[in-house]
């Protein structure tokens, strides 16, 4: 079960009221990309894709956390009765289904880390998990980014970028381009889309 677009936007507005920042516009961009790609694929629900893209980072409502935001979002959406969104909050950061690939601080307790690992092990990835993983890589706060440029930027900021994660992002892009039979940047309106302030 997932919320409506209006309810999802309300979750995002509430989250930004608690923890303002560019993550809101990043979520809008991810939602935009997800909707456009899902529509172009023809066999996906573009409204569902938009809502999942909009809420994938909703854990950021609870403050500045790295790995912690994944679990915060998962728990929040579970408690709100939206299991599909909770799953996306968890899976969007692990495109190889491995916690070791996470880039950023492991700012969680041992108990929280065990919970993430347990729930991640249970998760069976579908096209929506893959789509939001890709859109997370495409989405900047100012608009749609070049995936490779974004990964290079992350590598520069953190000093590393796991090769397996890099390769999977490229594979995800190729997978959806093949499904759409179109260029991903054209579909996502890379040169023109700018997220609005919420």
């Amino acid at each position: 079960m997932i919320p409506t677009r209006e309810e999802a936007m309300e979750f995002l507005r509430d989250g930004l009221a608690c923890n303002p920042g560019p993550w809101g516009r990043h979520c809008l961009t991810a939602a935009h990309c997800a909707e456009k790609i899902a529509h172009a694929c023809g066999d996906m629900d573009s409204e569902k894709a938009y809502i999942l893209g909009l809420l994938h980072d909703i854990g950021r409502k609870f403050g500045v956390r790295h790995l912690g935001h994944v679990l915060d979002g998962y728990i929040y959406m579970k408690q709100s009765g939206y299991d599909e969104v909770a799953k996306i909050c968890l899976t969007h950061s692990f495109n190889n289904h491995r916690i070791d690939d996470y880039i950023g601080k492991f700012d969680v307790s041992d108990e929280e880390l065990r919970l993430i690992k347990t729930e991640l092990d249970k998760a069976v990835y579908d096209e929506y998990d893959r789509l939001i993983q890709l859109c997370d890589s495409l989405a900047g706060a100012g608009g749609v980014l070049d995936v490779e440029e974004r990964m290079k930027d992350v590598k520069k900021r953190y000093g590393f970028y796991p090769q397996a994660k890099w390769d999977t992002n490229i594979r995800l892009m190729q997978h959806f381009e093949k499904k759409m039979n179109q260029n991903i940047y054209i579909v996502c309106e890379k040169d023109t889309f700018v997220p609005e302030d919420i």
Side-chain angles (χ1 to χ4, degrees):
M1 193 172 159
I2 60 170
T4 64
R5 185 183 286 236
E6 292 72 27
E7 288 166 340
M9 194 57 82
E10 206 44 55
F11 272 119
L12 189 59
R13 281 195 196 99
D14 177 58
L16 285 164
C18 295
N19 179 29
W23 68 272
R25 289 194 307 278
H26 160 75
C27 289
L28 278 179
T29 305
H32 165 81
C33 292
E35 182 178 40
K36 293 289 183 184
I37 295 167
H39 179 74
C41 283
D43 64 346
M44 297 181 78
D45 181 338
S46 58
E47 185 73 1
K48 176 179 174 177
Y50 183 90
I51 291 160
L52 294 176
L54 199 63
L55 294 177
H56 77 280
D57 263 351
I58 196 61
R60 298 203 182 278
K61 169 187 175 168
F62 302 99
V64 180
R65 293 182 84 191
H66 288 251
L67 183 56
H69 90 277
V70 171
L71 187 61
D72 289 340
Y74 177 78
I75 292 169
Y76 181 37
M77 288 292 104
K78 273 275 192 192
Q79 288 171 344
S80 301
Y82 297 119
D83 288 4
E84 285 185 84
V85 182
K87 184 184 175 213
I88 291 293
C89 289
L90 182 72
T91 62
H92 79 270
S93 289
F94 310 107
N95 65 8
N96 283 316
H97 223 132
R98 287 201 315 262
I99 205 164
D100 306 345
D101 280 350
Y102 187 77
I103 301 166
K105 292 177 188 160
F106 277 62
D107 52 354
V108 289
S109 67
D110 290 345
E111 188 182 349
E112 286 177 321
L113 188 60
R114 272 195 301 276
L115 183 56
I116 293 171
K117 283 180 175 172
T118 301
E119 295 307 310
L120 191 61
D121 284 346
K122 281 192 230 167
V124 177
Y125 286 9
D126 61 19
E127 284 292 82
Y128 293 95
D129 296 287
R130 296 180 194 102
L131 176 62
I132 304 307
Q133 287 163 3
L134 173 62
C135 293
D136 193 28
S137 297
L138 284 165
V144 183
L145 303 171
D146 179 292
V147 171
E148 289 208 55
E149 288 305 315
R150 177 148 198 238
M151 292 192 292
K152 283 175 189 169
D153 178 58
V154 171
K155 187 173 185 175
K156 198 163 108 182
R157 283 188 287 124
Y158 288 94
F160 79 106
Y161 198 103
Q163 190 62 46
K165 190 177 180 76
W166 183 297
D167 293 344
T168 299
N169 279 332
I170 299 300
R171 265 199 309 277
L172 286 170
M173 190 165 73
Q174 291 167 344
H175 168 72
F176 283 103
E177 283 190 329
K178 190 175 176 185
K179 272 188 87 166
M180 298 185 298
N181 198 26
Q182 294 183 69
N183 180 284
I184 209 130
Y185 300 119
I186 292 170
V187 170
C188 293
E189 302 166 345
K190 180 179 180 289
D191 295 333
T192 56
F193 176 76
V194 179
E196 295 173 14
D197 278 323
I198 302 166

